[in-house]
Amino acid sequence: MVAGCVSDEAKFAVGLDRLWKVLRDDHVHLPKMVPDHVASAEIVEGTAAPAPSRRSPSPQFLLNVTSENSEFESHLHLSFYAAAKIVIYVKRRLVMLDESNHVFKYEVLEGGVSEKIKSQTFEFKFESTGDVETCVVRLKVEYDTVDDEPLGAEEEKKLIQGPFMLFRGVEQYLLANPGA
């Protein structure tokens, strides 16, 4: 097993609050905002639910919030169309959601970009640029490989490309739909 880390950042022509609101509750928004890529987003709940204060704005869905020390499990399953090109599906567990600092972190439980990866964790930090109409998203991906071979540069690039591809689709949707 080889541990690795890759990071990148991207600037978006959408304000921090708008992009954070959408991507924090991506299970609700991605299928309608990026329909050419996201086939479905489904919350799969465990036996116990999080506290009511942890509910998403959409009452039929529980916000995808779990932690290793929690008494409940709640997972998100995302299915993608072939147009996504990088990944077919991802089942993930949210590890951290920090509303005040605009940070969320999730662990991929199944699926992903490569069968060479044993585990992978994505951490997103949304930051203001000082301009109300733009923001920066910093992404850090930590992973462990299945065997003693490190990932190549192309495979590491795919780890970053997938989320940013979806964010670009959301950005285009929000720019075309200012009221959304």
Side-chain angles (χ1 to χ4, degrees):
M1 179 172 71
V2 175
C5 181
V6 60
S7 60
D8 201 359
E9 66 181 55
K11 186 174 180 180
F12 294 89
V14 177
L16 170 67
D17 291 336
R18 283 184 79 203
L19 194 60
W20 173 254
K21 179 182 172 187
V22 169
L23 296 173
R24 185 198 73 191
D25 293 322
D26 60 356
H27 61 281
V28 175
H29 302 291
L30 286 180
K32 74 177 179 185
M33 291 185 169
V34 197
D36 292 343
H37 290 55
V38 179
S40 66
E42 178 184 4
I43 296 290
V44 181
E45 298 175 48
T47 56
S53 64
R54 303 292 255 186
R55 293 198 179 267
S56 75
S58 180
Q60 71 268 29
F61 291 103
L62 287 177
L63 186 61
N64 180 23
V65 177
T66 68
S67 73
E68 293 174 351
N69 300 321
S70 68
E71 297 176 15
F72 63 91
E73 285 289 322
S74 177
H75 301 110
L76 175 65
H77 184 269
L78 287 168
S79 296
F80 298 91
Y81 290 114
K85 295 180 186 171
I86 294 174
V87 65
I88 300 300
Y89 83 99
V90 171
K91 183 176 179 182
R92 71 180 197 202
R93 178 179 68 89
L94 199 65
V95 176
M96 178 194 39
L97 177 66
D98 183 341
E99 292 279 347
S100 60
N101 292 309
H102 300 100
V103 177
F104 73 88
K105 183 177 183 176
Y106 66 81
E107 172 185 25
V108 173
L109 302 173
E110 295 176 19
V113 300
S114 174
E115 293 179 4
K116 294 180 181 181
I117 299 174
K118 178 180 179 181
S119 64
Q120 53 193 314
T121 304
F122 292 74
E123 181 175 314
F124 301 87
K125 178 156 181 55
F126 295 71
E127 297 177 349
S128 174
T129 61
D131 176 1
V132 73
E133 298 297 321
T134 63
C135 70
V136 171
V137 178
R138 299 183 197 289
L139 170 57
K140 179 173 80 172
V141 182
E142 297 176 319
Y143 64 87
D144 292 319
T145 61
V146 174
D147 54 25
D148 292 332
E149 293 289 320
L151 290 183
E154 276 301 308
E155 290 169 303
E156 283 189 338
K157 185 177 175 183
K158 285 181 183 180
L159 289 172
I160 298 292
Q161 280 181 328
F164 282 156
M165 175 189 64
L166 290 176
F167 288 18
R168 289 288 176 213
V170 169
E171 173 188 46
Q172 293 305 312
Y173 181 90
L174 292 174
L175 291 172
N177 299 278

